[in-house]
């Protein structure tokens, strides 16, 4: 057993070494002190006549022995100065005083002085542990004081004696030598003090207070040493000889001697006698040990220093006071209510001190721990339901202390306390008064303030299939209690809210302190069947093991509850469901079904009873397995029967009842064979108890069964013998006093803690799983928060909505922030969305404002301002985990935008460069709400808008209003306004200032500028929210009741969308489809120019400009998105054509190398083609086209895009809105594009370039059309370009048919058409056609000579060459004969022969024009040539071929073949001329 450690265990009672150098002066002072005390006692005694004289003893007159002993001490005391005091036996100078105290002849005043003397001696520490016989002296003091005798003269002196007794006993325990006291002496001291406390109830208030204080001090002094007491493993011994077991014997003594007052002495001369005469209470008189008068014993237990044995007895006594409080007899002067509270409160206060001082040390001593687990907690459960708020408060304090010190050893007790006390009292539906509810709620809130409390409740109870969902029930209670239902906000509501917030703040702190990631999506799965009631944890101290263990148990528990719901609807389907989720085996066995019935909450007990009572063999097996799940070891029959029948409803049919009771009896007899002879006896007695229960508690039974009847009915049932009468009597009384409920409670109620349930709880405590201490990790917080988040958000929101005080606002705000933090860290996006939705309602920004000055109203509403700040703080801090909540946040932003309260650059693009302005169309009319920045129309709140330096960042004007917040604010302050305005009041100024400060704290712009850090899912939801808001506003702006604000909102949303798109260029794929779809919708549905479509178009172009350099893999999509511009309505396109063209040109010039697909270039060129018809847009459009064709020798073009580019260039050249200079430049551009063909030919090599011939043909064909232009400079330049094109392209191989395509439809047609124009049109329409004809002649001559060699080498017998040559001759002949302005042109007459001569010479040199038969063309070409030449230049033959005789014959005289050829030539020439 435990005892004090005298040397190192208890510092407070350690011996201090004596001072060896103690001076004589000190010794003399102590002697004088003792002498003065003797004198004081003698003086008070002489005041009484009895002590003043002598009395006769035989023949001599002698002094009274008390006087003699005092005088003897006086004579000896100064002789001790030569010795050290610790060497003197303290009994020598204490005995005279103790004799006075012990004497029955002394009066109260004398006793008081004697007690004071002893008190003084003890308090001065005149002796220590090294003093001779110190243990005997201390024991003598205790024995004497506790056996004090005196004669009472008046009530005041009586109280004085009692107070001095208390002082002496207390100083004994506080003395340094108190450790020499034995267990029995300590118990006697406590016993005596309690008697005085009990008797003080009829005395003065001072004595009452002092006695209670002394008792409190005694308990604290004794149990403060408990942490330093070591437990020695010795056989259990009794404290005193003749006493019973240390637990029950002393309790009996306490209950009899101290509570019921049956051990009063009749000695009229002592203290007991006085109490018997003057008091209705128990006298204090002769105070003995807990079991009666002190017994002299040589037992080691009695002589050993006090330790665990006395502490166990004292604690047992304190616990028994709670039991005895119900039976204490009241005096006539006691108040019923006060006394009902007084004794339990006193006892609870002492117990609380024990728990506080003993702490976790109690767990090291099994006896103390057993008392706490059973008797103490059982009494706490009972008094927890007291009507007294004071008692409930004290009980709660004790339980809180136990939570801190002994939680691991009181697992099931805590479950019972919360379910049977706190949850019952905190709800009015169970009949608790408001005071009870409030105290219970305060207790619960105190527990919630313990950081790990809820987590430990969840891990140990909610995740255990055999326990209640304590965490879930407590959080639901807090949530419901915080709701002000049809009543104003009260203290109870705020208190419950405080508890909720304490819980979530604890979670938030754990999230912040967790060193490892706390988010774990790994779901628990059960792939195969294993007995769910046998799930074990390998290591309860390792979080890696027990976390998965409790999560698995919670998963099983949830599934079992779902299975219970299915079972309640259809038992068969319920069992099949459990088989499907592997909680029951594929082939049902009785044990698994029995355990399902035993450990699953929420089952319909009627269905369970019917199943268990069924006659089916399988059901009978399940019934017996079900009975085996109970532990009836050493349990009373009625208690066992109560526990058994509480789990289901006993069926009504007698056969079913018999089967059920047979199974019960069999199990009970297996475990309790002390009294019953066999299981049949158990069955018969069980039946008898059921019948007795019905008889006693059925109101329809008028004549009740007596105890004798019950005993008689059960004769000879124990295997032919009678059961003990006391046994049957006890059963009878138990049934009569406490009904066996055969119809157990259904549903989710909180049952009372009955004695049978407590017995069962203590049984379960032995086999329950160890208590899990969770620590500071956030391992289970996600699962917990998912359960409580919804009710918590609703509760805090309701309180916030109904609150009126700033303190409550701040409390709610802290809760909102904690919820947001937890939701984000555990990736509970739905919870965070719910929180945002709830908060946005309190901003008042989503409600249509009915006030005239919403800005001032917002500034005056602290709740709205706090909610607004909280919303945006959460959005900035935890935006990664917001999903649908972005819609509500955006609605708030739009409301602030309409009120003009947004920061200037709320939609700013973090990657925006100030040196990229967009030109503004001079034809675009902007609204009054627009300003200009860099030449681009923007709104006052635009992403590109600039804010004057003198305007604060939040002071942006409201779109389509005269001014924003600061604008209106400035107007209020202005004294020289055009219209007289009243000066703002101080309240208005303060409201404006508060509004400004709130918006500044929100940092709304950071949501968009920092969007590049958002998670992809959150970013996508933000973009969709913007699109949704913009679409709503866009529909509003297009409706019949449209307003400028609708369009402005749509524009604002679009700008925000573009801003976040640009900010997230590295993950543009996330947003691209939605952004493009939105812009496309705007472009397609807008029929008139407006700001919205303008921003959509330019935003699209800006996105392409900014993203092309960084997203090559997206280049094709970016460029192809520009096809939306082509879908603009004609009126819209015309309004913004110039700006669009400028942006496209900038895009092309900056990113040409990144556009690599034909489709992309076709898109760009198609956009440019539309600008040729627009006066202002044609110049930048042409420059862009020029860049495309000329940059790098046309490296951006392919044969596919080349034709389209030529067509667009042709459109620019022929456009009626462009000047001739532009057309000339276009012609140069077309001509320069021939370099592309040459480059392609060079890159591919010979033999693979025939396909490019068609491109060249298209080129020259296009130029030919410009040669017919009315404008002289354009026409002449076109001919020049055509000439250069015809002779400067090398390496192009033409098919035979291509030659005809070039000369016949292009060159020959051009000559014919020019001649027709010159001869058939007025010179006013076509000026200086003569010059054009001259150029045309030169063109045909150079082209023929350039392609002569290629035509010579072609096959077909020279047919192509002959046809082309004869066509040239025919045109020359026509030009020689042509009349321009009514006469032949002299310049043509000079030029044509010269050109002809040059061509003939070249042909002669190349052997083409010869008379030899072997020559190409033969005589036929020769003859045809000269037939034409004679009409042009008759002398040319003699000049070129002087040696050849001229043929003078006519056409008719020529050979038939030559004549036919000549006719064909004439026909061709004349036909082509048409």
């Amino acid at each position: 057993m435990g005892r004090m450690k005298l040397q190192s265990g208890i510092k407070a009672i350690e011996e201090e070494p004596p001072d060896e150098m103690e001076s004589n002066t000190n010794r003399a002072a102590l002697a004088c002190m003792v002498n003065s005390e003797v004198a004081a006692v003698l003086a008070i005694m002489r005041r009484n006549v009895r002590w003043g004289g002598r009395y006769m003893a035989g023949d001599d007159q002698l002094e009274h022995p008390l006087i003699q002993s005092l005088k003897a001490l006086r004579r000896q005391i100064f002789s001790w100065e030569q010795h050290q005091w610790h060497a003197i036996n303290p009994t020598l100078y204490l005995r005279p005083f103790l004799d006075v105290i012990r004497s029955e002849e002394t009066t109260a005043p004398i006793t008081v002085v004697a007690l004071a003397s002893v008190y003084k001696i003890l308090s001065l520490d005149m002796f220590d542990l090294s003093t001779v016989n110190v243990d005997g002296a201390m024991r003598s003091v205790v024995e004497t004081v506790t056996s004090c005798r005196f004669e009472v003269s008046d009530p005041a002196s009586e109280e004085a004696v009692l107070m001095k007794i208390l002082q002496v006993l207390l100083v004994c325990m506080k003395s340094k030598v108190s450790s020499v006291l034995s267990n029995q002496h300590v118990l006697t001291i406590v016993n005596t003090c309690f008697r005085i406390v009990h008797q003080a109830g009829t005395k003065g208030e001072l004595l009452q207070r002092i006695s209670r204080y002394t008792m409190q001090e005694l308990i604290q002094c004794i149990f403060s040493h408990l942490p330093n007491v070591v437990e020695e493993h010795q056989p259990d011994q009794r404290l005193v000889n003749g006493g019973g077991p240390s637990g029950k014997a002393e309790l009996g003594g306490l209950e009899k001697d101290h509570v019921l007052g049956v051990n009063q002495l009749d000695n009229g001369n002592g203290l007991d006698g006085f109490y018997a005469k003057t008091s209705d209470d128990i006298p204090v008189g002769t105070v003995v040990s807990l079991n009666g008068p002190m017994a002299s014993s040589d037992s080691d237990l009695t002589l050993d220093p006090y330790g665990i044995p006395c502490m166990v007895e004292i604690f047992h006594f304190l616990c028994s006071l709670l039991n005895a409080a119900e039976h204490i007899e009241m005096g006539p002067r006691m108040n019923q209510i006060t006394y009902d509270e007084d004794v339990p409160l006193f006892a609870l206060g002492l117990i609380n001190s024990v728990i506080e001082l003993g702490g976790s040390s109690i767990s090291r001593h099994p006896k103390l721990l057993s008392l706490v687990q059973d008797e103490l907690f059982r009494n706490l459960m009972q008094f927890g339901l007291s009507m007294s708020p004071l008692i409930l408060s004290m009980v709660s304090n004790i339980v809180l202390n136990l939570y801190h010190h002994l939680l691991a050893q009181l697992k099931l007790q805590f479950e019972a306390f919360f379910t049977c006390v706190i949850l019952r009292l905190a709800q009015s539906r169970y009949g608790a008064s408001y005071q009870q509810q409030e105290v219970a709620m305060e207790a619960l809130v105190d527990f919630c303030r313990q950081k790990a409390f809820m987590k430990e409740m969840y891990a140990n109870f909610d995740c255990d299939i055999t326990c209640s969902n304590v965490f879930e029930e407590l959080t639901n209670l807090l949530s419901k209690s915080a709701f002000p239902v049809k009543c104003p906000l009260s203290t109870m509501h705020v208190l419950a809210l405080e508890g909720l917030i304490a819980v979530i703040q604890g979670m938030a702190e754990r999230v912040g302190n967790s060193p490892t990631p706390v988010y774990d999506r790994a779901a628990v799965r059960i792939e195969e069947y294993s007995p769910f009631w046998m799930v074990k944890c390998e290591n309860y101290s390792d979080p890696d093991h027990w976390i998965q263990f409790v999560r698995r148990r919670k998963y099983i528990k949830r599934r079992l509850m779902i299975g219970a719901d299915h079972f309640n609807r259809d038992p068969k389907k319920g069992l099949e469901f459990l088989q499907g989720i592997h909680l029951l085996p594929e082939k049902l066995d009785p044990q698994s079904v029995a355990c399902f019935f035993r450990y699953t909450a929420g089952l319909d007990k009627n269905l369970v009873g019917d199943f268990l009572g069924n006659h089916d063999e399988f059901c009978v097996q399940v019934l017996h397995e079900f009975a085996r799940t109970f532990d009836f070891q050493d349990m009373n029959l009625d208690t066992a029967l109560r526990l058994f029948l509480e789990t289901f409803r006993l069926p009504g049919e007698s056969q079913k009842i018999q089967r059920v009771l047979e199974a019960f009896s069999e199990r009970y007899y297996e475990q309790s064979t002390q009294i019953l002879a066999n299981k049949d006896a158990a069955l018969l007695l069980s039946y008898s108890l059921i019948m007795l229960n019905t008889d006693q508690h059925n109101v329809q039974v008028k004549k009740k069964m007596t105890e004798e009847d019950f005993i008689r009915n059960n004769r000879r049932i124990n295997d032919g013998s009678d059961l003990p009468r006391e046994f049957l009597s006890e059963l009878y009384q138990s049934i009569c006093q406490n009904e066996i409920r055969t119809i157990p409670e259904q549903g989710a109620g909180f049952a009372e803690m009955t004695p049978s349930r407590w017995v069962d709880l203590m049984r379960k405590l032995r086999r329950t799983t160890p208590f899990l201490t969770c620590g500071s990790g956030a391992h289970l917080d996600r699962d917990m928060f998912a359960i409580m988040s919804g009710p918590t958000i609703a509760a805090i929101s309701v309180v916030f909505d109904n609150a009126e005080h700033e303190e409550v606002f701040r409390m709610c705000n802290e809760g909102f922030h904690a919820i947001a933090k937890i939701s984000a860290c555990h990736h509970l996006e739905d919870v965070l969305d719910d929180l945002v939705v709830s908060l946005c309602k309190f901003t008042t920004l989503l409600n249509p404002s009915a006030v005239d000055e919403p800005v001032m109203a917002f500034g005056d509403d602290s709740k709205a301002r706090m909610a607004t700040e909280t919303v945006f703080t959460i959005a900035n801090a935890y935006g990664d985990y917001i999903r649908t909540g972005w819609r509500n946040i955006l609605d708030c932003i739009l409301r602030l935008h309409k009120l003009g309260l947004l920061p200037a650059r709320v939609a700013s693009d973090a990657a925006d460069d100030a040196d990229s302005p967009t030109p503004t169309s001079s034809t675009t009319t902007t609204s009054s709400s627009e300003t200009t920045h860099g030449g681009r129309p923007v709104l006052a709140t635009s992403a590109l808008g600039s804010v004057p330096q003198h305007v604060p960042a939040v002071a942006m004007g409201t779109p389509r209003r005269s001014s924003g917040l600061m604008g209106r604010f400035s107007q209020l302050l202005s004294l020289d306004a055009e219209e007289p305005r009243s000066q703002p009041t101080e309240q208005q100024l303060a409201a404006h200032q508060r509004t400004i400060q709130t918006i500044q704290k929100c940092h709304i712009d950071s949501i968009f500028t920092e969007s590049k850090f958002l998670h992809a899912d959150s970013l996508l939801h933000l973009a969709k929210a913007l699109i949704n808001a913009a679409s709503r506003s866009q529909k509003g702006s297009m409706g019949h009741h449209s307003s400028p604000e609708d369009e402005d909102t749509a524009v604002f949303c679009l700008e925000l969308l573009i801003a976040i798109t640009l900010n997230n260029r590295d993950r543009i794929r996330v947003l691209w489809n939605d952004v493009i779809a939105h812009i496309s919708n705007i472009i397609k549905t807008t029929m008139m120019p407006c700001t919205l479509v303008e921003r959509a178009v330019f935003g699209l172009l800006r996105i392409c400009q900014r993203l092309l350099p960084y997203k090559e893999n997206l280049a094709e999509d970016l460029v192809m998105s520009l096809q939306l511009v082509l879908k603009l309505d004609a009126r819209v396109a015309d309004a913004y054509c110039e700006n669009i063209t400028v942006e496209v040109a900038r895009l092309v010039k900056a990113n040409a190398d990144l556009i690599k697909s034909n489709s992309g270039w076709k898109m760009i060129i198609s956009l440019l083609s539309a600008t040729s018809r627009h006066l202002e847009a044609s110049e930048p459009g042409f420059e862009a086209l020029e860049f495309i064709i000329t940059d790098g020798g046309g490296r951006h073009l392919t044969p596919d895009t080349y034709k389209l580019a030529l067509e667009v260039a042709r459109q620019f050249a022929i456009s009626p809105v462009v000047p001739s200079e532009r057309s000339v430049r276009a012609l140069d551009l077309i001509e320069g594009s021939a370099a592309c063909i040459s480059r392609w030919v060079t890159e591919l090599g010979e033999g693979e370039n025939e396909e490019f011939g068609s491109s060249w043909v298209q080129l020259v064909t296009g130029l030919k059309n410009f040669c017919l232009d009315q404008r002289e400079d354009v026409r002449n330049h076109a001919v020049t370009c055509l000439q250069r094109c015809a002779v400067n392209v090398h390496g192009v191989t033409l098919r035979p048919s291509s030659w005809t395509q070039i000369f016949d439809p292009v060159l020959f047609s051009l000559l014919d058409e020019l001649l027709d124009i010159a001869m058939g049109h007025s010179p006013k329409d076509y000026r200086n056609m003569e010059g054009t004809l001259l150029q045309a002649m030169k063109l045909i001559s150079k082209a023929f000579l350039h392609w002569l060699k290629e035509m010579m080498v072609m096959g077909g017998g020279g047919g192509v060459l002959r046809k082309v040559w004869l066509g040239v001759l025919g045109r020359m002949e026509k030009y020689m004969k042509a009349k321009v302005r009514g006469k032949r042109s002299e310049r043509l007459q000079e030029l044509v022969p010269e050109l002809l001569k040059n061509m003939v010479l070249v042909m002669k040199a190349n052997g083409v024009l010869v008379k030899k038969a072997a020559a190409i063309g033969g005589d036929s070409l020769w003859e045809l040539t000269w037939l034409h030449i004679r009409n042009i230049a008759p002398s040319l033959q003699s000049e070129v071929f002087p040696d050849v005789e001229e043929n003078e014959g006519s056409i008719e005289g020529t050979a038939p073949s030559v004549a036919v050829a000549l006719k064909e030539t004439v026909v061709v020439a004349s036909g082509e001329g048409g």
Side-chain angles (χ1 to χ4, degrees), residues 749-870:
F750 302 108
E752 295 182 8
M753 180 53 66
T754 61
S756 59
R757 288 173 179 166
W758 184 260
V759 172
D760 185 52
L761 182 146
M762 296 305 298
R763 298 294 181 89
K764 290 170 60 179
L765 188 64
R766 297 198 297 262
R767 61 179 184 272
T768 188
T769 56
F771 191 90
L772 297 172
T773 303
C774 298
S776 60
H779 311 288
L780 299 174
D781 284 353
R782 185 179 190 274
D783 299 334
M784 297 165 55
F785 188 69
I787 294 173
M788 67 176 295
S789 58
T792 300
I793 293 175
I796 299 178
S797 300
V798 171
V799 174
F800 187 74
D801 189 25
N802 290 272
E804 298 178 355
H805 301 288
E806 289 290 336
E807 183 179 354
V808 180
F809 290 162
R810 287 192 295 271
M811 187 189 305
C812 294
N813 195 36
E814 293 174 358
F816 289 140
H817 281 282
I819 292 172
K821 181 178 180 180
I822 299 168
S823 303
C825 293
H826 291 296
H827 294 204
L828 295 170
E829 293 86 357
D830 293 342
V831 176
L832 191 55
D833 286 336
D834 292 341
L835 174 63
V836 169
V837 171
S838 182
L839 273 173
C840 287
K841 297 177 182 177
F842 299 122
T843 63
T844 68
L845 299 174
L846 303 183
N847 307 326
S849 180
V851 297
D852 296 333
E853 288 292 340
V855 175
M856 292 184 182
F858 183 79
D860 290 331
D861 192 342
S862 59
K863 182 191 302 183
R865 287 185 282 106
M866 183 178 291
T868 302
E869 185 176 343
T870 302

Side-chain angles (χ1 to χ4, degrees), residues 344-377:
L345 281 176
F346 176 63
L348 291 170
L350 296 178
I351 292 172
N352 193 39
S353 297
V354 173
I355 303 302
E356 290 174 344
L357 295 170
S360 58
S361 302
I362 296 176
S363 62
R364 301 202 306 264
H365 307 289
K367 292 183 179 179
L368 281 176
L369 180 59
S370 177
L371 286 173
V372 173
Q373 289 176 326
D374 191 355
E375 188 170 358
L376 173 61
F377 232 107

